[in-house]
Amino acid sequence: MTTWKQYLEDPEQFEGAFRLFDFPMHYFAAIQKRNQVNLGRKLEMIGLTPLDWRILAALRENGSMAINDLAEITVFDRFKVSRGANDLIKQGLVVPDPSARDGRKRRLILSESGQKKYKEAFTLVAQVYLANFEGLSDDEFEQLMRLVRRIRDNVFTLRNTRITQIRRSDDPLPAELPFPVWSPCTPAPFNPVMSAHVL
């Protein structure tokens, strides 16, 4: 029986046998897309979006944060996070951090109203998450998290040399890749692992 590694280590031989559904990346994308829809339907009941939720949750967990840090931990691009943060400021849920020392970078914190809104939103998000993981035992959940984090580490440490190793021999890789290879360099205390309730 051909293993998944054999499929990928010899792409010329097994190219015709490749199927998207044989690998978890397809399911990661499908799950995340549907999860955002489900969260959106719940959160709209209290006037929030999934992006609003992620920003509130990130600030609730980490305290004062700059837009760049928020963009990294919420896994949204900087423009969307900046626009979302401005909307939350207009609603009075997020405010500039008055204790921030670096005037060049605007840092944000939750307001008192934002703290209350976070708690209200968490009640709804918890319902979605309970449904997402229905039927999983505590041990299965912990095993799932260990495996996902291991894959996460592999993806985030991908380097040009590793890409070169998996390229086909008749498809040479240029000395410099035409696109950036993501490498996390998040300063403490922000962690790209992210707590489950942030996603």
Side-chain angles (χ1 to χ4, degrees):
M1 179 178 179
T2 305
T3 67
W4 66 270
K5 280 190 176 181
Q6 289 175 311
Y7 277 113
L8 301 181
E9 290 174 344
D10 193 353
E12 293 182 356
Q13 179 178 350
F14 296 106
E15 181 178 14
F18 177 83
R19 298 185 307 169
L20 287 174
F21 296 108
D22 288 341
F23 295 91
M25 277 39 179
H26 168 81
Y27 296 98
F28 291 160
I31 290 169
Q32 178 64 352
K33 181 178 180 180
R34 185 62 191 182
N35 182 59
Q36 292 302 290
V37 172
N38 294 341
L39 284 176
R41 289 174 176 171
K42 279 286 187 180
L43 292 169
E44 69 180 359
M45 297 168 58
I46 58 172
L48 294 179
T49 68
L51 173 57
D52 296 334
W53 157 250
R54 291 199 199 188
I55 293 174
L56 294 177
L59 292 174
R60 169 66 171 73
E61 182 174 350
N62 296 286
S64 177
M65 296 181 70
I67 292 296
N68 285 342
D69 297 322
L70 277 170
E72 186 161 358
I73 202 169
T74 60
V75 202
F76 276 96
D77 66 62
R78 189 185 185 284
F79 174 77
K80 288 183 178 180
V81 171
S82 179
R83 185 173 59 183
N86 286 334
D87 289 342
L88 293 174
I89 290 174
K90 292 177 182 177
Q91 297 177 53
L93 302 178
V94 170
V95 295
D97 182 1
S99 65
R101 297 180 179 179
D102 188 350
R104 296 169 299 177
K105 290 184 178 181
R106 182 178 64 164
R107 302 185 69 84
L108 304 174
I109 57 174
L110 289 182
S111 66
E112 184 176 344
S113 296
Q115 296 278 359
K116 294 179 180 178
K117 182 64 77 172
Y118 164 82
K119 293 179 181 179
E120 186 180 4
F122 180 67
T123 300
L124 298 176
V125 171
Q127 296 173 14
V128 176
Y129 274 52
L130 284 171
N132 288 347
F133 301 112
E134 183 178 1
L136 269 66
S137 67
D138 290 345
D139 288 342
E140 288 172 333
F141 183 85
E142 290 301 322
Q143 182 182 21
L144 173 64
M145 291 303 297
R146 285 195 298 271
L147 294 174
V148 169
R149 286 173 178 145
R150 189 184 306 171
I151 295 171
R152 185 267 337 259
D153 291 342
N154 291 340
V155 171
F156 278 21
T157 56
L158 193 64
R159 291 294 186 270
N160 292 15
T161 52
R162 292 185 63 187
I163 293 177
T164 303
Q165 292 172 1
I166 64 175
R167 296 280 288 195
R168 290 163 50 156
S169 59
D170 60 347
D171 190 12
L173 185 73
E176 293 295 331
L177 289 176
F179 53 86
V181 177
W182 171 250
S183 175
C185 53
T186 313
F190 309 115
N191 189 334
V193 171
M194 297 174 287
S195 298
H197 71 269
V198 173
L199 290 178

